[in-house]
Amino acid sequence: MSKSILIKSGRIIDPASDRDEVADLLIVDGKISEIGQINSKDQNVEVYDAKGFVVTPGFIDIHCHLREPGEEYKETIATGTKSAAAGGFTTVCAMPNTNPPMDTKSVVDFVKNKALTEGVIRVLPIGCVTKNSHGKELSEMSELADAGVIGFSDDGKPVSDANLMRQALTYSAGLGLPIINHCEVPELADGASMNEGWIATRLGLKGMPNSAEEVMAARDISLSELTGGKVHLAHISTAGTLDMVREAKRRGINVTCEVTPHHLTLTDEAVLSIGDESTSFDPLTPNAYDTTAKVNPPLRNISDMSIMANGINDNTIDFIATDHAPHSSVDKICTFQEAAFGISVLETALGSVLSLYHNKKVELGTLIKKLTSDPASFLGSNLGTLKIGRTADVTVFDLDETWRVNSSLFFSKGKNTPLDGTSLTGRVKATFYGGEYVLSLIHISEPTRPLYISYAVFCLK
């Protein structure tokens, strides 16, 4: 049995139970045992002093890429889950675009077994919609559901055949699982490497119009209404898509959506690496064509980015998901057109989204809800809460600590982040998974590498 842990004097925020108070939290045998003013002199109780820190349910990421099997040079389940724990996540949902892809029970079982033996947090697999994610023939969806997938996606590629998408939604409705689609019309996105706008024009790059996302989103919403199947729109990035989802929900259509930390807080100016005073007429700097800011869907303009906070506030956006997409240096140290799409996000997610709170755009409780209880509701699980008797997945963070991002210290193999060298405010201090001490972040005089202390899983010195 797990050693009892007493988390003392933290500000406990649990949106699922409408709790926001300074109190103590006792973990016994891997479960939340008691919340209140607790004085324990039991020598078998380990005390963690959380005074001045925020204590929340462990974060849940519905959308990340762990790359294993097949692309272990980019990420493994071991490194990806350590990275997630460093970011405060205790549950991640792994996208199926691996090699081989997760389109059979055997591959799903491989990922689940790897997570149990080498992972440090919970990994929930997502199965392919189509065989090999080729978009030609439905996968054995019932078999994948029996294997334990939480949904179906060909993420990285859209399900572009409308009739096949209709069949997938019809079939998945009987399984009670969502279709998670990457909304992109291939013909409109073909050859594009960033957002369509003046920056793409300035750099001589083909831009991706908002309509590439919005046309596909409109199709999926229509097919969801037709079939009754649940469609989830991954990483939405435009005001137009947000408006369509809002209207679809008003009409009772079974649609949900997510937004990433980077689409909430960054614009396409990150590709150009310009300052606030720069204009389209200023000469390019050596920082232009920043491949770490190349992501799909692309970082949009400031108008689209700013409107996403409204979607968080009015609950149109169901939750925040990282779309953590680690790549090797070879994938990014090249021309912009050749570079892979994707940003390594897990270890910077909290600091990024907390900028919305510090800038008074979104309340803290709302952000925590979008990282905990709302994704838990999407999964239909008992996770994402600190209610008595529930599994003790707990994240502790300092709301006001400012730290400098150093991607060379990431636990993720993916160092590809446009935030490298920038300062974020808000940092994870400790992560508990199932009542076990998974991560404790120790500071000396400079921000340093997190030290993992898990008794049952691993120890880094």
Side-chain angles (χ1 to χ4, degrees), residues 127-159:
C128 294
V129 177
T130 66
K131 292 182 178 179
N132 290 305
S133 294
H134 285 170
K136 302 296 184 184
E137 182 181 0
L138 289 182
S139 65
E140 299 294 339
M141 297 171 70
S142 181
E143 177 187 272
L144 293 173
D146 290 341
V149 302
I150 60 92
F152 306 96
S153 180
D154 283 351
D155 189 61
K157 305 174 189 175
V159 180

PDB file of all heavy atoms in Angstrom, residues 127-159:
ATOM      1  N   GLY A 127      -7.567   4.999 -30.787  1.00  0.00           N
ATOM      2  CA  GLY A 127      -7.442   4.127 -31.939  1.00  0.00           C
ATOM      3  C   GLY A 127      -7.641   4.866 -33.250  1.00  0.00           C
ATOM      4  O   GLY A 127      -8.201   5.964 -33.296  1.00  0.00           O
ATOM      5  N   CYS A 128      -7.173   4.270 -34.337  1.00  0.00           N
ATOM      6  CA  CYS A 128      -7.335   4.861 -35.664  1.00  0.00           C
ATOM      7  C   CYS A 128      -8.788   4.774 -36.129  1.00  0.00           C
ATOM      8  O   CYS A 128      -9.484   3.792 -35.852  1.00  0.00           O
ATOM      9  CB  CYS A 128      -6.465   4.135 -36.689  1.00  0.00           C
ATOM     10  SG  CYS A 128      -4.694   4.310 -36.425  1.00  0.00           S
ATOM     11  N   VAL A 129      -9.222   5.753 -36.880  1.00  0.00           N
ATOM     12  CA  VAL A 129     -10.529   5.686 -37.535  1.00  0.00           C
ATOM     13  C   VAL A 129     -10.456   4.732 -38.716  1.00  0.00           C
ATOM     14  O   VAL A 129     -11.346   3.909 -38.935  1.00  0.00           O
ATOM     15  CB  VAL A 129     -10.981   7.081 -38.025  1.00  0.00           C
ATOM     16  CG1 VAL A 129     -12.321   6.974 -38.776  1.00  0.00           C
ATOM     17  CG2 VAL A 129     -11.099   8.052 -36.870  1.00  0.00           C
ATOM     18  N   THR A 130      -9.366   4.833 -39.493  1.00  0.00           N
ATOM     19  CA  THR A 130      -9.230   4.006 -40.695  1.00  0.00           C
ATOM     20  C   THR A 130      -7.971   3.146 -40.610  1.00  0.00           C
ATOM     21  O   THR A 130      -7.034   3.458 -39.861  1.00  0.00           O
ATOM     22  CB  THR A 130      -9.164   4.876 -41.962  1.00  0.00           C
ATOM     23  OG1 THR A 130      -7.959   5.667 -41.955  1.00  0.00           O
ATOM     24  CG2 THR A 130     -10.368   5.794 -42.061  1.00  0.00           C
ATOM     25  N   LYS A 131      -7.949   2.095 -41.357  1.00  0.00           N
ATOM     26  CA  LYS A 131      -6.804   1.192 -41.359  1.00  0.00           C
ATOM     27  C   LYS A 131      -5.565   1.930 -41.848  1.00  0.00           C
ATOM     28  O   LYS A 131      -5.574   2.578 -42.899  1.00  0.00           O
ATOM     29  CB  LYS A 131      -7.087  -0.018 -42.247  1.00  0.00           C
ATOM     30  CG  LYS A 131      -8.169  -0.943 -41.676  1.00  0.00           C
ATOM     31  CD  LYS A 131      -8.398  -2.162 -42.560  1.00  0.00           C
ATOM     32  CE  LYS A 131      -9.449  -3.085 -41.929  1.00  0.00           C
ATOM     33  NZ  LYS A 131      -9.720  -4.283 -42.769  1.00  0.00           N
ATOM     34  N   ASN A 132      -4.495   1.833 -41.042  1.00  0.00           N
ATOM     35  CA  ASN A 132      -3.230   2.508 -41.328  1.00  0.00           C
ATOM     36  C   ASN A 132      -3.370   4.022 -41.440  1.00  0.00           C
ATOM     37  O   ASN A 132      -2.469   4.697 -41.917  1.00  0.00           O
ATOM     38  CB  ASN A 132      -2.595   1.968 -42.615  1.00  0.00           C
ATOM     39  CG  ASN A 132      -2.082   0.566 -42.460  1.00  0.00           C
ATOM     40  OD1 ASN A 132      -1.286   0.290 -41.557  1.00  0.00           O
ATOM     41  ND2 ASN A 132      -2.536  -0.346 -43.310  1.00  0.00           N
ATOM     42  N   SER A 133      -4.521   4.546 -40.986  1.00  0.00           N
ATOM     43  CA  SER A 133      -4.814   5.984 -41.125  1.00  0.00           C
ATOM     44  C   SER A 133      -4.741   6.442 -42.580  1.00  0.00           C
ATOM     45  O   SER A 133      -4.434   7.603 -42.861  1.00  0.00           O
ATOM     46  CB  SER A 133      -3.853   6.824 -40.260  1.00  0.00           C
ATOM     47  OG  SER A 133      -4.070   6.588 -38.896  1.00  0.00           O
ATOM     48  N   HIS A 134      -5.042   5.552 -43.488  1.00  0.00           N
ATOM     49  CA  HIS A 134      -4.963   5.876 -44.916  1.00  0.00           C
ATOM     50  C   HIS A 134      -6.240   6.494 -45.450  1.00  0.00           C
ATOM     51  O   HIS A 134      -6.290   6.946 -46.599  1.00  0.00           O
ATOM     52  CB  HIS A 134      -4.619   4.629 -45.725  1.00  0.00           C
ATOM     53  CG  HIS A 134      -3.190   4.226 -45.594  1.00  0.00           C
ATOM     54  ND1 HIS A 134      -2.700   3.013 -46.073  1.00  0.00           N
ATOM     55  CD2 HIS A 134      -2.111   4.859 -45.054  1.00  0.00           C
ATOM     56  CE1 HIS A 134      -1.408   2.920 -45.808  1.00  0.00           C
ATOM     57  NE2 HIS A 134      -1.033   4.032 -45.196  1.00  0.00           N
ATOM     58  N   GLY A 135      -7.307   6.491 -44.654  1.00  0.00           N
ATOM     59  CA  GLY A 135      -8.532   7.142 -45.072  1.00  0.00           C
ATOM     60  C   GLY A 135      -9.323   6.405 -46.126  1.00  0.00           C
ATOM     61  O   GLY A 135     -10.164   7.005 -46.806  1.00  0.00           O
ATOM     62  N   LYS A 136      -9.073   5.093 -46.263  1.00  0.00           N
ATOM     63  CA  LYS A 136      -9.734   4.312 -47.323  1.00  0.00           C
ATOM     64  C   LYS A 136     -10.768   3.320 -46.786  1.00  0.00           C
ATOM     65  O   LYS A 136     -11.763   3.045 -47.433  1.00  0.00           O
ATOM     66  CB  LYS A 136      -8.684   3.543 -48.131  1.00  0.00           C
ATOM     67  CG  LYS A 136      -7.615   4.417 -48.768  1.00  0.00           C
ATOM     68  CD  LYS A 136      -8.199   5.363 -49.794  1.00  0.00           C
ATOM     69  CE  LYS A 136      -7.099   6.171 -50.491  1.00  0.00           C
ATOM     70  NZ  LYS A 136      -7.649   7.165 -51.442  1.00  0.00           N
ATOM     71  N   GLU A 137     -10.514   2.784 -45.596  1.00  0.00           N
ATOM     72  CA  GLU A 137     -11.353   1.716 -45.053  1.00  0.00           C
ATOM     73  C   GLU A 137     -11.374   1.836 -43.540  1.00  0.00           C
ATOM     74  O   GLU A 137     -10.338   2.073 -42.903  1.00  0.00           O
ATOM     75  CB  GLU A 137     -10.785   0.362 -45.477  1.00  0.00           C
ATOM     76  CG  GLU A 137     -11.588  -0.837 -45.027  1.00  0.00           C
ATOM     77  CD  GLU A 137     -10.950  -2.159 -45.461  1.00  0.00           C
ATOM     78  OE1 GLU A 137      -9.878  -2.124 -46.105  1.00  0.00           O
ATOM     79  OE2 GLU A 137     -11.512  -3.214 -45.121  1.00  0.00           O
ATOM     80  N   LEU A 138     -12.546   1.679 -42.941  1.00  0.00           N
ATOM     81  CA  LEU A 138     -12.650   1.789 -41.487  1.00  0.00           C
ATOM     82  C   LEU A 138     -11.807   0.738 -40.793  1.00  0.00           C
ATOM     83  O   LEU A 138     -11.681  -0.401 -41.257  1.00  0.00           O
ATOM     84  CB  LEU A 138     -14.101   1.645 -41.030  1.00  0.00           C
ATOM     85  CG  LEU A 138     -15.067   2.799 -41.341  1.00  0.00           C
ATOM     86  CD1 LEU A 138     -16.441   2.490 -40.765  1.00  0.00           C
ATOM     87  CD2 LEU A 138     -14.549   4.122 -40.794  1.00  0.00           C
ATOM     88  N   SER A 139     -11.225   1.116 -39.683  1.00  0.00           N
ATOM     89  CA  SER A 139     -10.505   0.157 -38.842  1.00  0.00           C
ATOM     90  C   SER A 139     -11.514  -0.767 -38.163  1.00  0.00           C
ATOM     91  O   SER A 139     -12.734  -0.564 -38.251  1.00  0.00           O
ATOM     92  CB  SER A 139      -9.691   0.894 -37.779  1.00  0.00           C
ATOM     93  OG  SER A 139     -10.565   1.582 -36.887  1.00  0.00           O
ATOM     94  N   GLU A 140     -11.009  -1.770 -37.470  1.00  0.00           N
ATOM     95  CA  GLU A 140     -11.882  -2.660 -36.689  1.00  0.00           C
ATOM     96  C   GLU A 140     -12.231  -1.944 -35.391  1.00  0.00           C
ATOM     97  O   GLU A 140     -11.671  -2.202 -34.327  1.00  0.00           O
ATOM     98  CB  GLU A 140     -11.172  -3.986 -36.419  1.00  0.00           C
ATOM     99  CG  GLU A 140     -10.804  -4.764 -37.672  1.00  0.00           C
ATOM    100  CD  GLU A 140     -12.030  -5.248 -38.441  1.00  0.00           C
ATOM    101  OE1 GLU A 140     -13.125  -5.340 -37.840  1.00  0.00           O
ATOM    102  OE2 GLU A 140     -11.894  -5.519 -39.648  1.00  0.00           O
ATOM    103  N   MET A 141     -13.172  -1.031 -35.500  1.00  0.00           N
ATOM    104  CA  MET A 141     -13.460  -0.118 -34.394  1.00  0.00           C
ATOM    105  C   MET A 141     -13.975  -0.832 -33.156  1.00  0.00           C
ATOM    106  O   MET A 141     -13.625  -0.475 -32.023  1.00  0.00           O
ATOM    107  CB  MET A 141     -14.436   0.966 -34.856  1.00  0.00           C
ATOM    108  CG  MET A 141     -13.865   1.849 -35.966  1.00  0.00           C
ATOM    109  SD  MET A 141     -15.085   2.971 -36.708  1.00  0.00           S
ATOM    110  CE  MET A 141     -15.357   4.117 -35.375  1.00  0.00           C
ATOM    111  N   SER A 142     -14.784  -1.850 -33.347  1.00  0.00           N
ATOM    112  CA  SER A 142     -15.301  -2.592 -32.193  1.00  0.00           C
ATOM    113  C   SER A 142     -14.174  -3.298 -31.452  1.00  0.00           C
ATOM    114  O   SER A 142     -14.133  -3.300 -30.218  1.00  0.00           O
ATOM    115  CB  SER A 142     -16.355  -3.603 -32.639  1.00  0.00           C
ATOM    116  OG  SER A 142     -16.884  -4.304 -31.532  1.00  0.00           O
ATOM    117  N   GLU A 143     -13.244  -3.876 -32.195  1.00  0.00           N
ATOM    118  CA  GLU A 143     -12.098  -4.540 -31.580  1.00  0.00           C
ATOM    119  C   GLU A 143     -11.247  -3.546 -30.800  1.00  0.00           C
ATOM    120  O   GLU A 143     -10.775  -3.837 -29.696  1.00  0.00           O
ATOM    121  CB  GLU A 143     -11.249  -5.218 -32.658  1.00  0.00           C
ATOM    122  CG  GLU A 143      -9.975  -5.878 -32.143  1.00  0.00           C
ATOM    123  CD  GLU A 143      -9.089  -6.400 -33.266  1.00  0.00           C
ATOM    124  OE1 GLU A 143      -9.287  -7.550 -33.676  1.00  0.00           O
ATOM    125  OE2 GLU A 143      -8.216  -5.642 -33.735  1.00  0.00           O
ATOM    126  N   LEU A 144     -11.061  -2.366 -31.372  1.00  0.00           N
ATOM    127  CA  LEU A 144     -10.281  -1.327 -30.697  1.00  0.00           C
ATOM    128  C   LEU A 144     -10.996  -0.840 -29.434  1.00  0.00           C
ATOM    129  O   LEU A 144     -10.350  -0.590 -28.411  1.00  0.00           O
ATOM    130  CB  LEU A 144     -10.028  -0.161 -31.650  1.00  0.00           C
ATOM    131  CG  LEU A 144      -9.126  -0.449 -32.854  1.00  0.00           C
ATOM    132  CD1 LEU A 144      -9.090   0.738 -33.802  1.00  0.00           C
ATOM    133  CD2 LEU A 144      -7.710  -0.807 -32.407  1.00  0.00           C
ATOM    134  N   ALA A 145     -12.318  -0.727 -29.521  1.00  0.00           N
ATOM    135  CA  ALA A 145     -13.083  -0.320 -28.339  1.00  0.00           C
ATOM    136  C   ALA A 145     -12.934  -1.350 -27.231  1.00  0.00           C
ATOM    137  O   ALA A 145     -12.736  -1.002 -26.053  1.00  0.00           O
ATOM    138  CB  ALA A 145     -14.552  -0.125 -28.699  1.00  0.00           C
ATOM    139  N   ASP A 146     -12.995  -2.620 -27.587  1.00  0.00           N
ATOM    140  CA  ASP A 146     -12.813  -3.687 -26.598  1.00  0.00           C
ATOM    141  C   ASP A 146     -11.406  -3.655 -26.004  1.00  0.00           C
ATOM    142  O   ASP A 146     -11.201  -4.059 -24.853  1.00  0.00           O
ATOM    143  CB  ASP A 146     -13.081  -5.054 -27.232  1.00  0.00           C
ATOM    144  CG  ASP A 146     -14.552  -5.279 -27.553  1.00  0.00           C
ATOM    145  OD1 ASP A 146     -15.397  -4.564 -26.987  1.00  0.00           O
ATOM    146  OD2 ASP A 146     -14.846  -6.166 -28.379  1.00  0.00           O
ATOM    147  N   ALA A 147     -10.440  -3.191 -26.794  1.00  0.00           N
ATOM    148  CA  ALA A 147      -9.055  -3.109 -26.314  1.00  0.00           C
ATOM    149  C   ALA A 147      -8.838  -1.940 -25.370  1.00  0.00           C
ATOM    150  O   ALA A 147      -7.779  -1.847 -24.731  1.00  0.00           O
ATOM    151  CB  ALA A 147      -8.098  -3.005 -27.503  1.00  0.00           C
ATOM    152  N   GLY A 148      -9.815  -1.032 -25.306  1.00  0.00           N
ATOM    153  CA  GLY A 148      -9.724   0.040 -24.319  1.00  0.00           C
ATOM    154  C   GLY A 148      -9.420   1.420 -24.853  1.00  0.00           C
ATOM    155  O   GLY A 148      -9.063   2.314 -24.072  1.00  0.00           O
ATOM    156  N   VAL A 149      -9.576   1.670 -26.172  1.00  0.00           N
ATOM    157  CA  VAL A 149      -9.333   3.027 -26.672  1.00  0.00           C
ATOM    158  C   VAL A 149     -10.445   3.954 -26.181  1.00  0.00           C
ATOM    159  O   VAL A 149     -11.562   3.521 -25.916  1.00  0.00           O
ATOM    160  CB  VAL A 149      -9.250   3.061 -28.217  1.00  0.00           C
ATOM    161  CG1 VAL A 149      -8.150   2.141 -28.711  1.00  0.00           C
ATOM    162  CG2 VAL A 149     -10.586   2.710 -28.870  1.00  0.00           C
ATOM    163  N   ILE A 150     -10.126   5.228 -26.084  1.00  0.00           N
ATOM    164  CA  ILE A 150     -11.108   6.196 -25.566  1.00  0.00           C
ATOM    165  C   ILE A 150     -11.782   6.974 -26.693  1.00  0.00           C
ATOM    166  O   ILE A 150     -12.649   7.808 -26.447  1.00  0.00           O
ATOM    167  CB  ILE A 150     -10.462   7.159 -24.550  1.00  0.00           C
ATOM    168  CG1 ILE A 150      -9.320   7.967 -25.169  1.00  0.00           C
ATOM    169  CG2 ILE A 150      -9.979   6.391 -23.337  1.00  0.00           C
ATOM    170  CD1 ILE A 150      -9.682   9.301 -25.745  1.00  0.00           C
ATOM    171  N   GLY A 151     -11.379   6.702 -27.922  1.00  0.00           N
ATOM    172  CA  GLY A 151     -11.949   7.371 -29.086  1.00  0.00           C
ATOM    173  C   GLY A 151     -11.180   6.957 -30.318  1.00  0.00           C
ATOM    174  O   GLY A 151     -10.258   6.122 -30.250  1.00  0.00           O
ATOM    175  N   PHE A 152     -11.529   7.558 -31.457  1.00  0.00           N
ATOM    176  CA  PHE A 152     -10.905   7.198 -32.733  1.00  0.00           C
ATOM    177  C   PHE A 152     -10.466   8.461 -33.452  1.00  0.00           C
ATOM    178  O   PHE A 152     -11.187   9.462 -33.483  1.00  0.00           O
ATOM    179  CB  PHE A 152     -11.897   6.433 -33.611  1.00  0.00           C
ATOM    180  CG  PHE A 152     -12.497   5.226 -32.944  1.00  0.00           C
ATOM    181  CD1 PHE A 152     -13.734   5.316 -32.321  1.00  0.00           C
ATOM    182  CD2 PHE A 152     -11.815   4.016 -32.915  1.00  0.00           C
ATOM    183  CE1 PHE A 152     -14.292   4.214 -31.694  1.00  0.00           C
ATOM    184  CE2 PHE A 152     -12.358   2.914 -32.281  1.00  0.00           C
ATOM    185  CZ  PHE A 152     -13.606   3.010 -31.672  1.00  0.00           C
ATOM    186  N   SER A 153      -9.277   8.407 -34.046  1.00  0.00           N
ATOM    187  CA  SER A 153      -8.749   9.569 -34.759  1.00  0.00           C
ATOM    188  C   SER A 153      -7.708   9.126 -35.772  1.00  0.00           C
ATOM    189  O   SER A 153      -7.009   8.125 -35.564  1.00  0.00           O
ATOM    190  CB  SER A 153      -8.112  10.552 -33.766  1.00  0.00           C
ATOM    191  OG  SER A 153      -7.605  11.687 -34.432  1.00  0.00           O
ATOM    192  N   ASP A 154      -7.603   9.860 -36.853  1.00  0.00           N
ATOM    193  CA  ASP A 154      -6.473   9.721 -37.778  1.00  0.00           C
ATOM    194  C   ASP A 154      -5.600  10.964 -37.668  1.00  0.00           C
ATOM    195  O   ASP A 154      -5.025  11.420 -38.655  1.00  0.00           O
ATOM    196  CB  ASP A 154      -6.966   9.545 -39.225  1.00  0.00           C
ATOM    197  CG  ASP A 154      -7.481   8.146 -39.510  1.00  0.00           C
ATOM    198  OD1 ASP A 154      -7.304   7.255 -38.657  1.00  0.00           O
ATOM    199  OD2 ASP A 154      -8.069   7.940 -40.589  1.00  0.00           O
ATOM    200  N   ASP A 155      -5.509  11.534 -36.467  1.00  0.00           N
ATOM    201  CA  ASP A 155      -4.873  12.834 -36.264  1.00  0.00           C
ATOM    202  C   ASP A 155      -3.528  12.925 -36.977  1.00  0.00           C
ATOM    203  O   ASP A 155      -2.744  11.979 -37.002  1.00  0.00           O
ATOM    204  CB  ASP A 155      -4.667  13.108 -34.777  1.00  0.00           C
ATOM    205  CG  ASP A 155      -4.211  14.531 -34.538  1.00  0.00           C
ATOM    206  OD1 ASP A 155      -4.962  15.441 -34.898  1.00  0.00           O
ATOM    207  OD2 ASP A 155      -3.107  14.726 -34.007  1.00  0.00           O
ATOM    208  N   GLY A 156      -3.291  14.116 -37.505  1.00  0.00           N
ATOM    209  CA  GLY A 156      -2.186  14.326 -38.426  1.00  0.00           C
ATOM    210  C   GLY A 156      -2.713  14.338 -39.840  1.00  0.00           C
ATOM    211  O   GLY A 156      -2.163  14.995 -40.718  1.00  0.00           O
ATOM    212  N   LYS A 157      -3.802  13.631 -40.043  1.00  0.00           N
ATOM    213  CA  LYS A 157      -4.528  13.632 -41.308  1.00  0.00           C
ATOM    214  C   LYS A 157      -6.013  13.758 -40.983  1.00  0.00           C
ATOM    215  O   LYS A 157      -6.492  13.201 -40.001  1.00  0.00           O
ATOM    216  CB  LYS A 157      -4.319  12.321 -42.071  1.00  0.00           C
ATOM    217  CG  LYS A 157      -2.887  11.931 -42.337  1.00  0.00           C
ATOM    218  CD  LYS A 157      -2.866  10.546 -42.965  1.00  0.00           C
ATOM    219  CE  LYS A 157      -1.451  10.004 -43.064  1.00  0.00           C
ATOM    220  NZ  LYS A 157      -1.455   8.608 -43.560  1.00  0.00           N
ATOM    221  N   PRO A 158      -6.770  14.448 -41.832  1.00  0.00           N
ATOM    222  CA  PRO A 158      -8.222  14.450 -41.648  1.00  0.00           C
ATOM    223  C   PRO A 158      -8.832  13.195 -42.262  1.00  0.00           C
ATOM    224  O   PRO A 158      -8.225  12.553 -43.120  1.00  0.00           O
ATOM    225  CB  PRO A 158      -8.656  15.688 -42.445  1.00  0.00           C
ATOM    226  CG  PRO A 158      -7.630  15.784 -43.544  1.00  0.00           C
ATOM    227  CD  PRO A 158      -6.325  15.301 -42.945  1.00  0.00           C
ATOM    228  N   VAL A 159     -10.002  12.825 -41.794  1.00  0.00           N
ATOM    229  CA  VAL A 159     -10.796  11.832 -42.517  1.00  0.00           C
ATOM    230  C   VAL A 159     -11.480  12.625 -43.627  1.00  0.00           C
ATOM    231  O   VAL A 159     -12.529  13.230 -43.436  1.00  0.00           O
ATOM    232  CB  VAL A 159     -11.827  11.151 -41.607  1.00  0.00           C
ATOM    233  CG1 VAL A 159     -12.635  10.114 -42.394  1.00  0.00           C
ATOM    234  CG2 VAL A 159     -11.135  10.487 -40.420  1.00  0.00           C
TER     235      VAL A 159
END
